[in-house]
PDB file of all heavy atoms in Angstrom:
ATOM      1  N   THR A  10     -27.532 -14.408  88.684  1.00  0.00           N
ATOM      2  CA  THR A  10     -26.722 -13.958  87.589  1.00  0.00           C
ATOM      3  C   THR A  10     -25.844 -12.784  88.089  1.00  0.00           C
ATOM      4  O   THR A  10     -26.387 -11.777  88.622  1.00  0.00           O
ATOM      5  CB  THR A  10     -27.630 -13.449  86.399  1.00  0.00           C
ATOM      6  OG1 THR A  10     -28.326 -14.495  85.863  1.00  0.00           O
ATOM      7  CG2 THR A  10     -26.679 -12.920  85.262  1.00  0.00           C
ATOM      8  N   VAL A  11     -24.550 -12.881  87.934  1.00  0.00           N
ATOM      9  CA  VAL A  11     -23.653 -11.912  88.440  1.00  0.00           C
ATOM     10  C   VAL A  11     -23.743 -10.739  87.459  1.00  0.00           C
ATOM     11  O   VAL A  11     -23.555 -10.892  86.242  1.00  0.00           O
ATOM     12  CB  VAL A  11     -22.209 -12.415  88.484  1.00  0.00           C
ATOM     13  CG1 VAL A  11     -21.254 -11.377  88.876  1.00  0.00           C
ATOM     14  CG2 VAL A  11     -22.152 -13.576  89.363  1.00  0.00           C
ATOM     15  N   LEU A  12     -24.025  -9.599  87.996  1.00  0.00           N
ATOM     16  CA  LEU A  12     -24.203  -8.283  87.254  1.00  0.00           C
ATOM     17  C   LEU A  12     -22.974  -7.382  87.335  1.00  0.00           C
ATOM     18  O   LEU A  12     -22.652  -6.597  86.489  1.00  0.00           O
ATOM     19  CB  LEU A  12     -25.436  -7.529  87.785  1.00  0.00           C
ATOM     20  CG  LEU A  12     -26.817  -8.199  87.664  1.00  0.00           C
ATOM     21  CD1 LEU A  12     -27.998  -7.301  88.258  1.00  0.00           C
ATOM     22  CD2 LEU A  12     -27.086  -8.526  86.175  1.00  0.00           C
ATOM     23  N   ASP A  13     -22.351  -7.544  88.546  1.00  0.00           N
ATOM     24  CA  ASP A  13     -21.161  -6.571  88.714  1.00  0.00           C
ATOM     25  C   ASP A  13     -20.233  -7.233  89.802  1.00  0.00           C
ATOM     26  O   ASP A  13     -20.682  -7.634  90.781  1.00  0.00           O
ATOM     27  CB  ASP A  13     -21.622  -5.120  89.205  1.00  0.00           C
ATOM     28  CG  ASP A  13     -20.574  -4.161  89.190  1.00  0.00           C
ATOM     29  OD1 ASP A  13     -19.312  -4.465  88.996  1.00  0.00           O
ATOM     30  OD2 ASP A  13     -20.901  -2.941  89.160  1.00  0.00           O
ATOM     31  N   VAL A  14     -18.963  -7.291  89.435  1.00  0.00           N
ATOM     32  CA  VAL A  14     -17.914  -7.950  90.290  1.00  0.00           C
ATOM     33  C   VAL A  14     -17.070  -6.925  90.963  1.00  0.00           C
ATOM     34  O   VAL A  14     -16.286  -7.140  91.673  1.00  0.00           O
ATOM     35  CB  VAL A  14     -17.140  -9.024  89.560  1.00  0.00           C
ATOM     36  CG1 VAL A  14     -17.877 -10.129  89.204  1.00  0.00           C
ATOM     37  CG2 VAL A  14     -16.338  -8.287  88.291  1.00  0.00           C
ATOM     38  N   SER A  15     -17.338  -5.566  90.715  1.00  0.00           N
ATOM     39  CA  SER A  15     -16.588  -4.445  91.353  1.00  0.00           C
ATOM     40  C   SER A  15     -17.583  -3.342  91.539  1.00  0.00           C
ATOM     41  O   SER A  15     -17.450  -2.263  90.954  1.00  0.00           O
ATOM     42  CB  SER A  15     -15.433  -4.052  90.409  1.00  0.00           C
ATOM     43  OG  SER A  15     -14.765  -3.029  91.097  1.00  0.00           O
ATOM     44  N   PRO A  16     -18.588  -3.592  92.411  1.00  0.00           N
ATOM     45  CA  PRO A  16     -19.795  -2.677  92.470  1.00  0.00           C
ATOM     46  C   PRO A  16     -19.291  -1.406  93.380  1.00  0.00           C
ATOM     47  O   PRO A  16     -18.294  -1.464  94.142  1.00  0.00           O
ATOM     48  CB  PRO A  16     -20.746  -3.409  93.233  1.00  0.00           C
ATOM     49  CG  PRO A  16     -20.053  -4.430  94.082  1.00  0.00           C
ATOM     50  CD  PRO A  16     -18.859  -4.751  93.263  1.00  0.00           C
ATOM     51  N   PRO A  17     -19.935  -0.242  93.160  1.00  0.00           N
ATOM     52  CA  PRO A  17     -19.708   0.927  94.026  1.00  0.00           C
ATOM     53  C   PRO A  17     -20.061   0.919  95.396  1.00  0.00           C
ATOM     54  O   PRO A  17     -21.034   0.135  95.717  1.00  0.00           O
ATOM     55  CB  PRO A  17     -20.313   2.087  93.222  1.00  0.00           C
ATOM     56  CG  PRO A  17     -21.527   1.297  92.633  1.00  0.00           C
ATOM     57  CD  PRO A  17     -21.063  -0.030  92.282  1.00  0.00           C
ATOM     58  N   ALA A  18     -19.418   1.559  96.279  1.00  0.00           N
ATOM     59  CA  ALA A  18     -19.735   1.573  97.737  1.00  0.00           C
ATOM     60  C   ALA A  18     -21.220   2.331  97.761  1.00  0.00           C
ATOM     61  O   ALA A  18     -21.483   3.170  97.012  1.00  0.00           O
ATOM     62  CB  ALA A  18     -18.706   2.395  98.489  1.00  0.00           C
ATOM     63  N   LEU A  19     -21.964   1.914  98.817  1.00  0.00           N
ATOM     64  CA  LEU A  19     -23.275   2.468  99.101  1.00  0.00           C
ATOM     65  C   LEU A  19     -23.252   3.153 100.408  1.00  0.00           C
ATOM     66  O   LEU A  19     -23.908   2.781 101.433  1.00  0.00           O
ATOM     67  CB  LEU A  19     -24.334   1.388  99.165  1.00  0.00           C
ATOM     68  CG  LEU A  19     -24.407   0.553  97.835  1.00  0.00           C
ATOM     69  CD1 LEU A  19     -25.438  -0.605  97.937  1.00  0.00           C
ATOM     70  CD2 LEU A  19     -24.648   1.432  96.615  1.00  0.00           C
ATOM     71  N   THR A  20     -22.444   4.333 100.461  1.00  0.00           N
ATOM     72  CA  THR A  20     -22.239   5.003 101.774  1.00  0.00           C
ATOM     73  C   THR A  20     -23.131   6.229 101.813  1.00  0.00           C
ATOM     74  O   THR A  20     -23.442   6.694 102.911  1.00  0.00           O
ATOM     75  CB  THR A  20     -20.765   5.276 101.974  1.00  0.00           C
ATOM     76  OG1 THR A  20     -20.280   5.991 100.801  1.00  0.00           O
ATOM     77  CG2 THR A  20     -19.973   4.033 102.093  1.00  0.00           C
ATOM     78  N   ARG A  21     -23.419   6.793 100.703  1.00  0.00           N
ATOM     79  CA  ARG A  21     -24.184   8.172 100.765  1.00  0.00           C
ATOM     80  C   ARG A  21     -25.644   7.852 100.820  1.00  0.00           C
ATOM     81  O   ARG A  21     -26.145   6.803 100.356  1.00  0.00           O
ATOM     82  CB  ARG A  21     -23.895   8.981  99.534  1.00  0.00           C
ATOM     83  CG  ARG A  21     -22.372   9.462  99.522  1.00  0.00           C
ATOM     84  CD  ARG A  21     -22.094  10.310  98.406  1.00  0.00           C
ATOM     85  NE  ARG A  21     -20.755  10.845  98.359  1.00  0.00           N
ATOM     86  CZ  ARG A  21     -20.289  11.781  97.422  1.00  0.00           C
ATOM     87  NH1 ARG A  21     -21.119  12.205  96.408  1.00  0.00           N
ATOM     88  NH2 ARG A  21     -19.065  12.037  97.497  1.00  0.00           N
ATOM     89  N   ARG A  22     -26.388   8.833 101.398  1.00  0.00           N
ATOM     90  CA  ARG A  22     -27.832   8.850 101.384  1.00  0.00           C
ATOM     91  C   ARG A  22     -28.404   8.561 100.001  1.00  0.00           C
ATOM     92  O   ARG A  22     -28.091   9.361  99.123  1.00  0.00           O
ATOM     93  CB  ARG A  22     -28.354  10.024 102.054  1.00  0.00           C
ATOM     94  CG  ARG A  22     -29.901   9.969 102.365  1.00  0.00           C
ATOM     95  CD  ARG A  22     -30.445  11.356 102.847  1.00  0.00           C
ATOM     96  NE  ARG A  22     -29.855  11.611 104.142  1.00  0.00           N
ATOM     97  CZ  ARG A  22     -30.432  11.170 105.346  1.00  0.00           C
ATOM     98  NH1 ARG A  22     -31.501  10.505 105.229  1.00  0.00           N
ATOM     99  NH2 ARG A  22     -29.838  11.527 106.373  1.00  0.00           N
ATOM    100  N   GLY A  23     -29.363   7.671  99.954  1.00  0.00           N
ATOM    101  CA  GLY A  23     -29.923   7.388  98.625  1.00  0.00           C
ATOM    102  C   GLY A  23     -29.142   6.582  97.594  1.00  0.00           C
ATOM    103  O   GLY A  23     -29.643   6.193  96.612  1.00  0.00           O
ATOM    104  N   ALA A  24     -27.900   6.130  98.049  1.00  0.00           N
ATOM    105  CA  ALA A  24     -27.028   5.383  97.147  1.00  0.00           C
ATOM    106  C   ALA A  24     -27.709   3.975  96.755  1.00  0.00           C
ATOM    107  O   ALA A  24     -27.664   3.571  95.620  1.00  0.00           O
ATOM    108  CB  ALA A  24     -25.643   5.220  97.643  1.00  0.00           C
ATOM    109  N   ALA A  25     -28.327   3.326  97.818  1.00  0.00           N
ATOM    110  CA  ALA A  25     -28.870   1.995  97.536  1.00  0.00           C
ATOM    111  C   ALA A  25     -30.058   2.116  96.511  1.00  0.00           C
ATOM    112  O   ALA A  25     -30.207   1.190  95.727  1.00  0.00           O
ATOM    113  CB  ALA A  25     -29.276   1.423  98.805  1.00  0.00           C
ATOM    114  N   VAL A  26     -30.863   3.107  96.715  1.00  0.00           N
ATOM    115  CA  VAL A  26     -31.984   3.250  95.824  1.00  0.00           C
ATOM    116  C   VAL A  26     -31.529   3.579  94.331  1.00  0.00           C
ATOM    117  O   VAL A  26     -32.091   2.993  93.410  1.00  0.00           O
ATOM    118  CB  VAL A  26     -32.894   4.475  96.238  1.00  0.00           C
ATOM    119  CG1 VAL A  26     -34.000   4.750  95.234  1.00  0.00           C
ATOM    120  CG2 VAL A  26     -33.536   4.193  97.568  1.00  0.00           C
ATOM    121  N   ARG A  27     -30.483   4.353  94.214  1.00  0.00           N
ATOM    122  CA  ARG A  27     -29.905   4.682  92.897  1.00  0.00           C
ATOM    123  C   ARG A  27     -29.312   3.413  92.291  1.00  0.00           C
ATOM    124  O   ARG A  27     -29.393   3.102  91.046  1.00  0.00           O
ATOM    125  CB  ARG A  27     -28.910   5.836  93.000  1.00  0.00           C
ATOM    126  CG  ARG A  27     -29.551   7.184  93.201  1.00  0.00           C
ATOM    127  CD  ARG A  27     -28.547   8.275  92.980  1.00  0.00           C
ATOM    128  NE  ARG A  27     -27.474   8.238  94.018  1.00  0.00           N
ATOM    129  CZ  ARG A  27     -27.469   8.792  95.230  1.00  0.00           C
ATOM    130  NH1 ARG A  27     -28.509   9.398  95.629  1.00  0.00           N
ATOM    131  NH2 ARG A  27     -26.454   8.669  96.052  1.00  0.00           N
ATOM    132  N   ARG A  28     -28.599   2.675  93.089  1.00  0.00           N
ATOM    133  CA  ARG A  28     -27.981   1.466  92.670  1.00  0.00           C
ATOM    134  C   ARG A  28     -29.061   0.454  92.209  1.00  0.00           C
ATOM    135  O   ARG A  28     -28.848  -0.236  91.154  1.00  0.00           O
ATOM    136  CB  ARG A  28     -27.181   0.823  93.798  1.00  0.00           C
ATOM    137  CG  ARG A  28     -26.306  -0.409  93.261  1.00  0.00           C
ATOM    138  CD  ARG A  28     -25.459  -0.095  92.106  1.00  0.00           C
ATOM    139  NE  ARG A  28     -24.640  -1.279  91.776  1.00  0.00           N
ATOM    140  CZ  ARG A  28     -23.978  -1.408  90.680  1.00  0.00           C
ATOM    141  NH1 ARG A  28     -24.035  -0.484  89.723  1.00  0.00           N
ATOM    142  NH2 ARG A  28     -23.243  -2.552  90.399  1.00  0.00           N
ATOM    143  N   ALA A  29     -30.114   0.373  92.893  1.00  0.00           N
ATOM    144  CA  ALA A  29     -31.193  -0.609  92.545  1.00  0.00           C
ATOM    145  C   ALA A  29     -31.735  -0.305  91.117  1.00  0.00           C
ATOM    146  O   ALA A  29     -31.991  -1.145  90.382  1.00  0.00           O
ATOM    147  CB  ALA A  29     -32.327  -0.586  93.543  1.00  0.00           C
ATOM    148  N   ALA A  30     -31.900   1.091  90.837  1.00  0.00           N
ATOM    149  CA  ALA A  30     -32.307   1.499  89.540  1.00  0.00           C
ATOM    150  C   ALA A  30     -31.384   1.175  88.462  1.00  0.00           C
ATOM    151  O   ALA A  30     -31.617   0.761  87.378  1.00  0.00           O
ATOM    152  CB  ALA A  30     -32.618   3.042  89.551  1.00  0.00           C
ATOM    153  N   GLU A  31     -30.054   1.221  88.822  1.00  0.00           N
ATOM    154  CA  GLU A  31     -29.047   0.888  87.785  1.00  0.00           C
ATOM    155  C   GLU A  31     -29.093  -0.626  87.491  1.00  0.00           C
ATOM    156  O   GLU A  31     -29.106  -1.106  86.412  1.00  0.00           O
ATOM    157  CB  GLU A  31     -27.647   1.165  88.327  1.00  0.00           C
ATOM    158  CG  GLU A  31     -27.308   2.726  88.399  1.00  0.00           C
ATOM    159  CD  GLU A  31     -25.978   2.988  88.880  1.00  0.00           C
ATOM    160  OE1 GLU A  31     -25.333   2.140  89.542  1.00  0.00           O
ATOM    161  OE2 GLU A  31     -25.423   4.177  88.731  1.00  0.00           O
ATOM    162  N   LEU A  32     -29.208  -1.400  88.516  1.00  0.00           N
ATOM    163  CA  LEU A  32     -29.148  -2.930  88.417  1.00  0.00           C
ATOM    164  C   LEU A  32     -30.435  -3.345  87.674  1.00  0.00           C
ATOM    165  O   LEU A  32     -30.362  -4.349  86.999  1.00  0.00           O
ATOM    166  CB  LEU A  32     -29.196  -3.595  89.890  1.00  0.00           C
ATOM    167  CG  LEU A  32     -27.819  -3.336  90.604  1.00  0.00           C
ATOM    168  CD1 LEU A  32     -27.930  -4.017  91.930  1.00  0.00           C
ATOM    169  CD2 LEU A  32     -26.641  -3.910  89.828  1.00  0.00           C
ATOM    170  N   ALA A  33     -31.586  -2.612  87.839  1.00  0.00           N
ATOM    171  CA  ALA A  33     -32.834  -3.077  87.150  1.00  0.00           C
ATOM    172  C   ALA A  33     -32.651  -3.180  85.601  1.00  0.00           C
ATOM    173  O   ALA A  33     -33.344  -3.990  84.994  1.00  0.00           O
ATOM    174  CB  ALA A  33     -33.883  -2.150  87.501  1.00  0.00           C
ATOM    175  N   VAL A  34     -31.692  -2.299  85.002  1.00  0.00           N
ATOM    176  CA  VAL A  34     -31.546  -2.401  83.502  1.00  0.00           C
ATOM    177  C   VAL A  34     -30.418  -3.069  83.102  1.00  0.00           C
ATOM    178  O   VAL A  34     -30.124  -3.168  81.981  1.00  0.00           O
ATOM    179  CB  VAL A  34     -31.564  -0.931  82.963  1.00  0.00           C
ATOM    180  CG1 VAL A  34     -32.869  -0.197  83.255  1.00  0.00           C
ATOM    181  CG2 VAL A  34     -30.446  -0.142  83.585  1.00  0.00           C
ATOM    182  N   MET A  35     -29.688  -3.582  83.996  1.00  0.00           N
ATOM    183  CA  MET A  35     -28.369  -4.486  83.696  1.00  0.00           C
ATOM    184  C   MET A  35     -28.718  -5.814  83.311  1.00  0.00           C
ATOM    185  O   MET A  35     -29.589  -6.501  84.043  1.00  0.00           O
ATOM    186  CB  MET A  35     -27.337  -4.377  84.818  1.00  0.00           C
ATOM    187  CG  MET A  35     -26.780  -2.934  85.049  1.00  0.00           C
ATOM    188  SD  MET A  35     -25.787  -2.758  86.572  1.00  0.00           S
ATOM    189  CE  MET A  35     -24.390  -3.824  86.165  1.00  0.00           C
ATOM    190  N   THR A  36     -28.192  -6.437  82.272  1.00  0.00           N
ATOM    191  CA  THR A  36     -28.623  -7.709  81.742  1.00  0.00           C
ATOM    192  C   THR A  36     -27.784  -8.820  82.181  1.00  0.00           C
ATOM    193  O   THR A  36     -28.151  -9.982  82.069  1.00  0.00           O
ATOM    194  CB  THR A  36     -28.629  -7.647  80.193  1.00  0.00           C
ATOM    195  OG1 THR A  36     -27.210  -7.334  79.867  1.00  0.00           O
ATOM    196  CG2 THR A  36     -29.492  -6.544  79.652  1.00  0.00           C
ATOM    197  N   GLY A  37     -26.518  -8.631  82.667  1.00  0.00           N
ATOM    198  CA  GLY A  37     -25.676  -9.651  82.971  1.00  0.00           C
ATOM    199  C   GLY A  37     -24.851 -10.116  81.773  1.00  0.00           C
ATOM    200  O   GLY A  37     -24.062 -11.122  81.810  1.00  0.00           O
TER     201      GLY A  37
END
C-alpha cells in the first residue's frame, strides 16, 4: 500500500528510525 509518494530525505542521523515511527501510524 503506497503511504507516501513524496517522502522526505533520510540523510540525518536517526532519520530512518523517526520515519519508521511516522509510517507505523499512516493508514494509506
Side-chain angles (χ1 to χ4, degrees):
T10 297
V11 176
L12 302 178
D13 196 339
V14 294
S15 182
L19 303 177
T20 53
R21 295 185 177 181
R22 183 185 296 273
V26 174
R27 291 190 294 273
R28 183 58 176 168
E31 289 178 345
L32 294 175
V34 298
M35 293 169 68
T36 63

